[in-house]
């Protein structure tokens, strides 16, 4: 017996001459049905006796165009593939649940942050640069995205397994990702030709912190269960009084952290991480993570830049945990494997712009660009109605409505309700929980062409990583990983530049690389000019300006390098 979404038997309101009735296919029924309980049909529902049959003219004649079953079968097969993600194409995922263990309602009015609140979640892990068929154990950052299906809508945490990234200027992202792909001429990957990869890094030295992480032990986590997640971007939390703080979200693995060495990665299967995650859940070994948060006030953010030159709006910088300790918020577990990978993982769509009241974006320029780009790529891959797919649909205690209509595959097209703000059949509204006038800055000024510059403070965190975090074994593995990867770089000038960048981190590090590669690097970056960033450490003014820019024109870098300085948040205080 077939059941409708509200649980009633579909046959109880069968169609007749007066009404269409509600006999329909139900997603959950279809997802959980066994083949033994189905009937083979054409796509329009007509029963068909055998899937291998085809109609032809006589016993040995040509096939017939009237054979809809065959034409429909082949036509659909030709269209089975949708565009793969440009980034994070290879992925795995599962479903589970989240619960808030420690209330955060003093800092955020988001309903999900009340103690004891629960919601279902869907998680997708991924590598970043490779295509859909690439190896799970590639040396690459890992994507870690969580869709929290809260009672106020979906909140997507679109994170990585590293706390920083390669860039802080939004326009660089497409360029950088191009260098992670196959060579456009030879079609070779980094395994055979790493020249483009190191060329980009050697011209954009703000990437150094992420390079240190990537080439260290965290570069190949032991599957997805044994890695942490970091939002990286600074967000804002707003409470019921309209007060807000900056926030950084962390997801700490309850299984701890494990890594795979470069040598051992060659012994693993291409789908190692997928297999590990699936098998663990199947046998009841459900992986879990703690959701934790760092917070700081706007005043603290200004002082952090003034005193320590740490920019909370810079994706290449981190917040010191001794100053801004982690606060426990909740935990989540994955306890359900997917029934259909394509429907539930390939079609799942995460975006940093999927937020709920009480969580707001900061002015981080890379975050701002992602707010647009992620949703846009889903509209390209899946269509304008991607939010209607079951895996993406919100689960809220009210009927969702808006004035978006039609488009490809409009499944929930909102019936005969008005497609405009009608006074005849009015829609319901809820009061705004967040005063945006007090939460976001009053940005008034001239249009500014902006490109950041490399400065001494950009090497502080990488230096700490090398000198205080890496032990002797980690340092040796790091040198082997970098020199091994550089072995397929065909341009020595690129290696010389990159070693010069490493020298700003540590002379010990640079000297070891010179010995491992046989290439003598530059003495630092003071004499270098970069094509991707202004050089704030250049001795000669001619080397300060990024390649291709005319020194006669105003410099597009600023004294604060995009950071919130003293007085940045004054407008918010005045308007409070």
């Amino acid at each position: 017996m077939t059941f409708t979404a509200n649980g009633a038997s579909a046959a109880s309101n069968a169609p007749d001459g007066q009404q269409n009735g509600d006999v329909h296919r139900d997603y959950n029924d279809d997802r959980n049905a066994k083949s033994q309980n189905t009937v083979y049909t054409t796509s329009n529902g007509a029963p068909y006796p055998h899937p291998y049959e085809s109609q032809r003219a006589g016993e040995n004649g040509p096939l017939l165009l009237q054979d809809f079953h065959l034409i429909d079968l082949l036509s659909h097969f030709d269209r089975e593939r949708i565009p793969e993600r440009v980034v994070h194409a290879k992925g795995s995922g599962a479903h589970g649940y989240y619960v808030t263990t420690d209330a955060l309602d003093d800092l955020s009015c988001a309903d999900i942050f009340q103690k004891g609140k629960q919601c279902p979640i869907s998680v997708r892990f991924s590598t970043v640069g490779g295509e859909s068929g690439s190896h799970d154990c590639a040396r690459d950052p890992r994507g870690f995205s969580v869709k929290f299906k809260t009672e106020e809508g979906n909140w997507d945490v679109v994170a990585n397994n590293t706390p920083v990234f390669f860039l802080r200027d939004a326009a660089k992202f497409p360029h950088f990702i191009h260098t992670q792909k196959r060579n456009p001429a030879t079609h070779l990957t980094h395994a055979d030709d790493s020249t483009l990869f190191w060329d980009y890094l050697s011209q954009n030295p703000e990437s150094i912190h992420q390079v240190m992480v990537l080439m260290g032990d965290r570069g190949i986590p032991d599957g997805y269960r044994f890695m942490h997640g970091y939002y990286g971007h600074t967000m804002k939390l707003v409470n019921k009084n309209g007060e807000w703080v900056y926030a950084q979200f962390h997801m700490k693995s309850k299984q701890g952290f494990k890594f795979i060495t470069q040598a051992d990665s060659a012994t693993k299967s291409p789908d190692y991480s997928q297999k590990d995650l699936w098998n663990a859940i199947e046998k009841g070994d459900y992986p879990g993570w703690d959701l934790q948060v760092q917070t700081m006030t706007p005043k603290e953010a200004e002082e952090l830049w003034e005193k320590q030159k740490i920019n909370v709006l810079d994706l290449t910088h981190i917040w010191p945990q001794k100053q801004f300790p982690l606060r426990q918020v909740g935990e989540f577990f994955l306890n359900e494997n997917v029934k259909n990978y394509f429907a539930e993982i390939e079609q799942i769509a995460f975006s940093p712009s999927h937020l709920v009241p009480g969580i707001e974006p900061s002015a981080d320029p890379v975050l701002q660009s992602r707010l647009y780009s992620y949703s846009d790529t889903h509209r390209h891959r899946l269509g304008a109605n991607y939010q209607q797919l079951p895996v993406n649909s919100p689960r809220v205690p009210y009927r969702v409505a808006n004035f978006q209509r039609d488009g490809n595959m409009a499944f929930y097209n909102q019936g005969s309700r008005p497609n405009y703000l009608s006074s005849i059949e009015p829609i319901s509204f809820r009061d705004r929980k967040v005063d945006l006038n007090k939460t976001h800055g009053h940005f008034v000024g001239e249009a500014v062409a902006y490109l950041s510059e490399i400065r001494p403070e950009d090497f502080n965190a990488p230096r700490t990583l090398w000198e205080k975090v890496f032990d002797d074994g980690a340092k040796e593995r790091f040198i082997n990983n970098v020199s091994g990867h550089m072995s397929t770089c065909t341009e020595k000038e690129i290696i010389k530049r990159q070693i010069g960048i490493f020298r700003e981190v540590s002379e010990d590090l640079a000297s070891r690389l010179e010995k491992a590669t046989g290439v003598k690097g530059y003495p630092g970056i003071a004499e270098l000019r970069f094509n991707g960033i202004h050089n704030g450490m250049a001795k000669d003014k001619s080397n300060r300006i990024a390649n291709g820019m005319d020194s006669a024109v105003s410099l597009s870098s600023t004294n604060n390098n995009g950071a919130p300085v003293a007085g940045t948040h004054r407008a918010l205080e005045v308007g409070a």
Side-chain angles (χ1 to χ4, degrees):
M1 180 175 289
T2 303
F3 288 85
T4 63
N6 61 13
S9 169
S12 65
N13 190 19
D16 55 27
Q18 304 295 322
Q19 297 179 335
N20 288 328
D22 53 13
V23 176
H24 65 281
R25 296 178 68 181
D26 176 83
Y27 171 75
N28 285 321
D29 176 75
D30 177 75
R31 179 177 183 267
N32 296 312
K34 298 292 185 181
S35 292
Q36 297 91 320
N37 298 323
T38 64
V39 174
Y40 184 74
T41 71
T42 57
S43 61
N44 61 308
Y48 202 80
H50 200 286
Y52 295 169
E53 284 184 358
S54 58
Q55 297 179 28
R56 58 193 307 175
E59 296 178 355
N60 56 6
L63 299 179
L64 300 181
L65 188 61
Q66 72 178 28
D67 187 354
F68 172 74
H69 171 265
L70 177 62
I71 299 302
D72 193 43
L73 174 70
L74 296 176
S75 298
H76 188 278
F77 177 74
D78 293 342
R79 294 164 175 80
E80 279 185 358
R81 293 293 173 265
I82 62 174
E84 72 173 29
R85 292 169 171 84
V86 177
V87 195
H88 300 276
K90 177 70 181 292
S92 304
H95 307 298
Y97 67 92
Y98 164 83
V99 59
T100 294
T101 57
D102 299 75
L104 195 64
D105 50 8
D106 59 318
L107 296 181
S108 175
C109 61
D111 177 73
I112 191 59
F113 290 144
Q114 298 180 51
K115 186 173 182 178
K117 275 286 184 176
Q118 299 186 38
C119 73
I121 62 169
S122 295
V123 175
R124 185 178 187 269
F125 306 104
S126 58
T127 53
V128 173
E131 55 260 29
S132 182
S134 57
H135 205 292
D136 274 357
C137 296
R139 183 167 297 278
D140 197 17
R142 299 310 193 260
F144 189 155
S145 295
V146 185
K147 188 178 292 292
F148 295 84
K149 295 201 169 186
T150 83
E151 292 185 3
E152 294 182 303
N154 291 347
W155 172 40
D156 290 357
V157 173
V158 192
N160 282 336
N161 73 322
T162 60
V164 292
F165 199 59
F166 295 94
L167 51 90
R168 58 190 176 212
D169 296 289
K172 289 185 178 182
F173 188 77
H175 302 268
F176 168 70
I177 293 302
H178 286 165
T179 71
Q180 305 304 290
K181 302 297 185 179
R182 293 176 179 271
N183 185 298
T186 65
H187 204 55
L188 296 177
T189 68
H190 295 170
D192 293 298
D193 186 357
S194 63
T195 306
L196 303 185
F197 177 79
W198 290 108
D199 182 37
Y200 176 89
L201 299 179
S202 69
Q203 294 288 349
N204 295 272
E206 76 275 23
S207 62
I208 186 62
H209 194 175
Q210 176 73 324
V211 173
M212 296 286 292
V213 175
L214 177 64
M215 292 297 165
D217 291 339
R218 281 183 282 181
I220 311 178
D222 188 357
Y224 296 128
R225 295 185 296 136
F226 298 98
M227 70 180 195
H228 307 308
Y230 305 88
Y231 208 129
H233 295 297
T234 294
M235 302 297 289
K236 291 180 178 180
L237 296 177
V238 191
N239 68 16
K240 62 182 179 181
N241 299 320
E243 302 161 335
W244 66 271
V245 294
Y246 285 122
Q248 278 276 359
F249 285 98
H250 300 240
M251 296 171 286
K252 295 292 187 177
S253 171
K254 290 179 176 290
Q255 297 73 237
F257 169 73
K258 293 183 180 180
F259 67 93
I260 298 174
T261 65
Q262 190 69 48
D264 286 345
S265 67
T267 68
K268 308 299 183 182
S269 74
D271 299 315
Y272 173 83
S273 300
Q274 164 71 17
K275 182 171 61 176
D276 175 75
L277 179 66
W278 176 276
N279 289 344
I281 295 174
E282 281 297 291
K283 67 182 182 182
D285 185 9
Y286 303 136
W289 287 262
D290 288 312
L291 180 67
Q292 300 177 337
V293 66
Q294 291 176 285
T295 62
M296 75 170 72
T297 66
K299 182 65 174 177
E300 288 175 323
E302 295 175 2
E303 292 176 348
L304 192 63
W305 171 254
E306 297 294 339
K307 297 178 180 180
Q308 296 172 248
K309 297 305 178 188
I310 296 175
N311 181 357
V312 300
L313 305 180
D314 187 333
L315 187 53
T316 69
H317 287 191
I318 59 171
W319 299 9
Q321 291 190 22
K322 288 184 178 180
Q323 288 178 254
F324 306 97
L326 289 168
R327 173 175 170 176
Q328 180 71 15
V329 180
E331 60 184 8
F332 59 89
F333 297 88
L334 299 179
N335 62 356
E336 180 188 359
N337 277 320
V338 303
K339 293 292 183 69
N340 186 283
Y341 179 90
F342 182 86
E344 300 168 54
I345 301 301
E346 187 64 21
Q347 290 193 133
I348 197 169
F350 298 93
S351 174
S353 58
H354 296 164
L355 300 170
V356 295
I359 306 172
E360 292 288 324
S362 75
D364 174 347
V366 182
L367 170 62
Q368 290 285 318
S369 70
R370 293 177 77 208
L371 296 174
Y372 162 75
S373 183
Y374 275 61
S375 295
D376 187 57
T377 199
H378 300 319
R379 296 182 189 104
H380 160 65
R381 293 183 63 247
L382 304 171
N385 293 306
Y386 72 92
Q387 299 272 40
Q388 296 185 21
L389 291 168
V391 73
N392 296 322
S393 291
R395 298 186 188 180
V396 292
Y398 42 84
R399 180 173 282 114
V400 174
N402 51 47
F403 303 115
Q404 296 179 7
R405 296 293 191 276
D406 308 339
N408 289 337
M409 309 303 288
F411 190 65
Y412 297 105
N413 213 32
Q414 308 188 52
S416 61
R417 299 192 293 277
N419 58 359
Y420 69 101
L421 187 57
S422 170
S423 62
I424 302 171
E425 189 178 333
I427 194 172
S428 299
F429 296 93
R430 287 190 174 179
D431 289 337
R432 179 182 288 125
K433 293 177 65 175
V434 174
D435 187 347
L436 299 180
N437 293 338
K438 295 181 179 180
T439 303
H440 298 291
H442 299 270
F443 301 105
V444 179
E446 301 174 349
V448 176
Y450 175 79
L451 176 64
S452 68
E453 69 176 5
I454 190 70
R455 296 181 177 179
E457 61 263 20
D458 292 314
F459 297 95
N460 292 339
R463 187 175 301 115
T464 299
L465 197 61
W466 177 260
E467 295 178 350
K468 298 183 179 181
V469 178
F470 288 1
D471 59 22
D472 291 342
K475 289 180 179 180
E476 183 177 354
R477 290 190 293 272
F478 179 87
I479 296 299
N480 290 337
N481 293 337
V482 173
S483 59
H485 201 281
M486 284 181 168
S487 66
T488 60
C489 177
T490 59
E491 299 290 335
K492 282 191 176 182
E493 174 64 18
I494 291 174
I495 299 177
K496 289 174 62 178
R497 294 176 66 91
Q498 188 63 43
I499 291 177
I501 295 170
F502 279 123
R503 183 161 273 117
E504 299 292 348
V505 175
S506 166
E507 177 60 42
D508 172 53
L509 192 167
S511 297
R512 291 194 193 192
L513 274 178
E514 287 175 333
K515 183 178 180 180
T517 61
V519 177
K520 180 66 175 177
Y522 285 105
I525 68 171
E527 305 295 336
L528 298 181
R529 190 181 191 188
F530 300 106
N531 69 17
I533 194 169
H534 299 307
N535 188 355
M537 298 169 65
K539 289 182 178 179
D540 190 317
K541 288 184 178 180
S542 65
N543 286 330
R544 185 185 179 193
I545 303 172
N547 289 348
M549 291 193 175
D550 188 345
S551 59
V553 182
S554 60
L555 190 63
S556 57
S557 69
T558 59
N559 290 333
N560 64 328
N561 221 18
V565 297
T568 294
H569 304 95
R570 188 179 302 160
L572 302 182
E573 296 170 3
V574 172

